[in-house]
Amino acid sequence: MKQRNILPLVGAASALCLPSLVRAEQPNIVYVFPDQLRNCSLHFWNDAPYDTHTRCAADPTFTPAIDAFAAESVVLSEAHSTCPVSSPYRGMMLTGMFPERNGVTLNCMNARPESTLAPDAVCISDVLAAAGYDCAYIGKLHADYPTRNNPQRPGTYVVDGDEVWDAYTPPERRHGFNYWYSYGTFDVHKHPHYWDTEGNRHDIDEWSPKHEVDRAIAYLNNENGVRDTSKPFLMMIGMNPPHAPYSSTEDCMEEDYALYRERSLSELFVRPNADTTMRKSRSAAYYFASVTGVDREFGRLLEALKERGLDRNTIVVFTSDHGETMCSHSLQDPKNSIYRESFNVPFLIRYPEVLRPRVDDLMLSTTDIMPTLLSLAGLGDRIPASVEGRDLSQALRGCAGGERPRSALYIRNLNGKRDSDGMVRGIFPEARGVKTDRYTMEIAIDRKHAVKRILLFDDANDPYQLRPLDAAAHPELMAGLCETLGEELRRSNDIWYRERILAEMIPYEK
Ligand code: CA
């Protein structure tokens, strides 16, 4: 692969900084985030100079477009999804606020009426719209509580049944997005549907990422006058694959599956923490095929930007809402855990002439994304006071003195109690944890707030997290990590901090 333009970060931070460069035009922002794409499924992590940063084997995938994009980008090895499930990620990414403030504490569905993006939460799209941007949202949103607002059948949900996940987002809940082609959540990958800006429903018989990139290119081309071409634009594309299901060629493209179908389990599973006796192991070939398909569609979007001369003045981000455990540690849950395959996410950002391509171990967390992007776009003075994340743009630019977080917070919430109507009220904050440059530590509690389990890993010596350390045998290490966790919980005004949960272990006061 090409390796020109890749500079090592260590010891060269200030040399990378280009603070004097001021763009004459406001940059466009393109934010692409397929769902459930684990960082180690990007092929380039197998190659120098990336391989030394993860110390792990990456999956045997084909991702040529993303590999080429990486060579033009700042590639973060240590970006993490603070609460690695769909809706909480989206709430945090859009608002820069933690779940309890932005409203999205649990995955949105009809039995969780309290978990929804707060109408008054200021989103990145609200800020950019006010700053003169045209704002487009394409694909999966899943940040909205489903209500009986089906525009095609008033008074009903958009699907029938007791458990409703999908949702229609009406204009007053679109947070500054003036172009809309989206849905809540729906997992039939070759028969997706979308509601457009006017609320018309489109049922499509095509693999959803391909269709969404076609819509994105139509938006770039301003077909039917959908955007104001005198304005810079924000375009967010929430692709659903490689999200489950991944069990047949109904879920991915045949041509991509052909790359993996002849491979044995030992060829597909290169991470030694994978349990290939799990039934789920049959999904790996389809999952990797979905990753390759996403790669091709992302590549098509990049080509379209280039052909229209939009690549130079556009910030492009490729990331995901969380990872996929894919048989690691025998876990049934693909996400919602602190294990690296779930918690660590891709984060590649390209901004020509402003960001020098390199791989960087900057610890970026979900709430940092919104303020960092606004600042990179020259709108740092418009970061809302409600934002709880950090502006890491100086560090991304490689400037000396730019904030470089030393830890990443992990959050796992479960349903609170149910009321007499079966509705979930509140949350049960089951686990909190931290990742540092060397360690991963998680504390889970029972409903009486007693310690149920502690996970502790030395990632430097055990990158696959195969050998959990006994917390009781490492009191000094645990004390240090609990201090870091206490700082993170205080900074995020988390419910563990407010209720002083496990105060005998976690030092909450400064
Ligand atoms: Ca998700």
Side-chain angles (χ1 to χ4, degrees):
M1 63 169 288
K2 287 182 193 170
Q3 286 174 30
R4 63 192 169 80
N5 292 336
I6 294 174
L7 304 174
L9 175 79
V10 179
S14 58
L16 298 168
C17 188
L18 300 170
S20 60
L21 191 136
V22 177
R23 306 298 292 251
E25 292 172 85
Q26 210 49 55
N28 309 303
I29 302 174
V30 172
Y31 192 93
V32 181
F33 63 117
D35 194 305
Q36 209 156 310
L37 205 174
R38 64 190 199 168
N39 195 20
C40 63
S41 276
L42 302 183
H43 173 87
F44 65 79
W45 290 113
N46 278 313
D47 299 332
Y50 307 100
D51 52 351
T52 54
H53 285 256
T54 57
R55 302 181 297 273
C56 282
D59 294 324
T61 54
F62 297 95
T63 55
I66 297 168
D67 297 349
F69 179 70
E72 301 170 345
S73 303
V74 180
V75 179
L76 300 187
S77 58
E78 300 300 326
H80 295 91
S81 179
T82 305
C83 182
V85 281
S86 280
S87 305
Y89 166 85
R90 290 148 203 269
M92 280 186 275
M93 179 272 287
L94 288 165
T95 66
M97 299 157 76
F98 288 94
E100 293 177 85
R101 256 75 62 199
N102 71 46
V104 192
T105 49
L106 299 163
N107 266 345
C108 299
M109 52 94 69
N110 67 323
R112 294 174 181 146
E114 294 172 359
S115 183
T116 191
L117 188 57
D120 60 348
V122 183
C123 293
I124 186 170
S125 43
D126 289 308
V127 177
L128 290 172
Y133 275 66
D134 201 273
C135 298
Y137 197 95
I138 297 170
K140 175 175 176 175
L141 179 70
H142 203 198
D144 239 0
Y145 171 56
T147 61
R148 297 178 193 274
N149 66 349
N150 185 348
Q152 277 66 52
R153 284 188 296 143
T156 67
Y157 289 116
V158 294
V159 290
D160 296 321
D162 295 332
E163 195 175 90
V164 178
W165 292 82
D166 201 0
Y168 166 67
T169 298
E172 65 272 18
R173 281 157 67 177
R174 292 181 192 162
H175 287 275
F177 287 105
N178 56 283
Y179 175 83
W180 198 256
Y181 195 79
S182 176
Y183 61 98
T185 179
F186 183 70
D187 295 330
V188 185
H189 300 312
K190 285 190 172 171
H191 302 282
H193 57 242
Y194 307 85
W195 285 272
D196 66 18
T197 307
E198 284 76 36
N200 301 310
R201 177 172 164 145
H202 301 261
D203 285 85
I204 306 296
D205 296 316
E206 189 170 43
W207 197 52
S208 58
K210 178 174 187 307
H211 182 68
E212 287 154 18
V213 168
D214 283 343
R215 298 312 308 167
I217 293 172
Y219 173 82
L220 294 178
N221 289 340
N222 197 25
E223 286 177 20
N224 302 318
V226 292
R227 76 178 168 104
D228 181 343
T229 54
S230 70
K231 294 179 169 183
F233 62 83
L234 163 70
M235 182 164 66
M236 286 193 155
I237 307 176
M239 295 178 182
N240 197 29
H243 188 284
Y246 21 55
S247 54
S248 80
T249 49
E250 268 301 290
D251 305 315
C252 59
M253 301 298 282
E254 291 267 4
E255 64 195 275
D256 300 320
Y257 180 61
L259 296 169
Y260 303 98
R261 70 178 169 214
E262 303 297 333
R263 295 192 178 196
S264 66
L265 286 181
S266 62
E267 289 172 315
L268 291 169
F269 285 91
V270 297
R271 297 173 75 81
N273 60 22
D275 175 1
T276 56
T277 66
M278 291 176 75
R279 184 181 166 82
K280 188 178 177 178
S281 64
R282 301 175 201 169
S283 295
Y286 298 104
Y287 178 74
F288 296 156
S290 302
V291 171
T292 292
V294 163
D295 175 87
R296 181 179 49 255
E297 296 309 323
F298 179 60
R300 216 155 57 81
L301 179 65
L302 293 177
E303 266 312 300
L305 287 169
K306 191 174 179 183
E307 284 168 7
R308 287 153 188 77
L310 292 166
D311 54 327
R312 303 307 295 172
N313 197 36
T314 299
I315 299 170
V316 180
V317 174
F318 183 88
T319 183
S320 183
D321 59 346
H322 51 75
E324 160 63 71
T325 53
M326 191 49 73
C327 302
S328 290
H329 312 287
S330 306
L331 292 164
Q332 292 293 346
D333 197 334
K335 47 211 168 190
N336 214 9
S337 71
I338 200 170
Y339 288 101
R340 188 168 178 88
E341 290 85 357
S342 154
F343 189 39
N344 180 233
V345 288
F347 197 93
L348 294 79
I349 180 166
R350 184 182 78 180
Y351 188 7
E353 296 166 52
V354 177
L355 300 180
R356 294 272 185 93
R358 65 187 188 278
V359 56
D360 194 320
D361 59 4
L362 178 69
M363 296 190 91
L364 175 124
S365 294
T366 312
T367 51
D368 303 332
I369 295 168
M370 181 232 206
T372 299
L373 286 179
L374 288 175
S375 191
L376 272 181
L379 299 169
D381 57 346
R382 288 181 181 247
I383 294 171
S386 55
V387 165
E388 297 175 292
R390 298 158 293 206
D391 170 6
L392 304 183
S393 61
Q394 288 295 96
L396 273 184
R397 294 168 72 126
C399 301
E403 182 174 4
R404 297 186 65 87
R406 295 176 56 240
S407 55
L409 174 65
Y410 167 74
I411 294 174
R412 181 167 69 248
N413 293 327
L414 302 179
N415 286 346
K417 293 196 170 105
R418 286 184 189 260
D419 66 16
S420 55
D421 295 325
M423 296 292 117
V424 173
R425 297 295 165 188
I427 54 169
F428 168 50
E430 191 198 29
R432 297 294 184 264
V434 281
K435 167 95 181 88
T436 67
D437 62 348
R438 176 160 179 182
Y439 296 99
T440 293
M441 188 274 285
E442 177 209 275
I443 305 174
I445 54 172
D446 62 22
R447 299 254 170 181
K448 292 176 179 170
H449 293 185
V451 174
K452 188 169 72 180
R453 184 185 74 167
I454 296 175
L455 277 180
L456 177 61
F457 295 105
D458 179 350
D459 298 326
N461 289 317
D462 179 22
Y464 295 104
Q465 302 176 321
L466 282 163
R467 301 188 299 276
L469 301 176
D470 177 3
H474 297 84
E476 285 183 20
L477 173 60
M478 274 303 290
L481 290 169
C482 283
E483 190 176 334
T484 303
L485 178 58
E487 286 168 11
E488 287 282 359
L489 295 169
R490 188 172 60 237
R491 181 179 75 85
S492 55
N493 193 22
D494 187 84
I495 188 170
W496 276 43
Y497 167 70
R498 301 197 312 277
E499 297 190 1
R500 300 296 195 273
I501 292 173
L502 299 182
E504 69 281 9
M505 281 179 75
I506 302 170
Y508 284 115
E509 315 307 328
K510 278 187 184 172

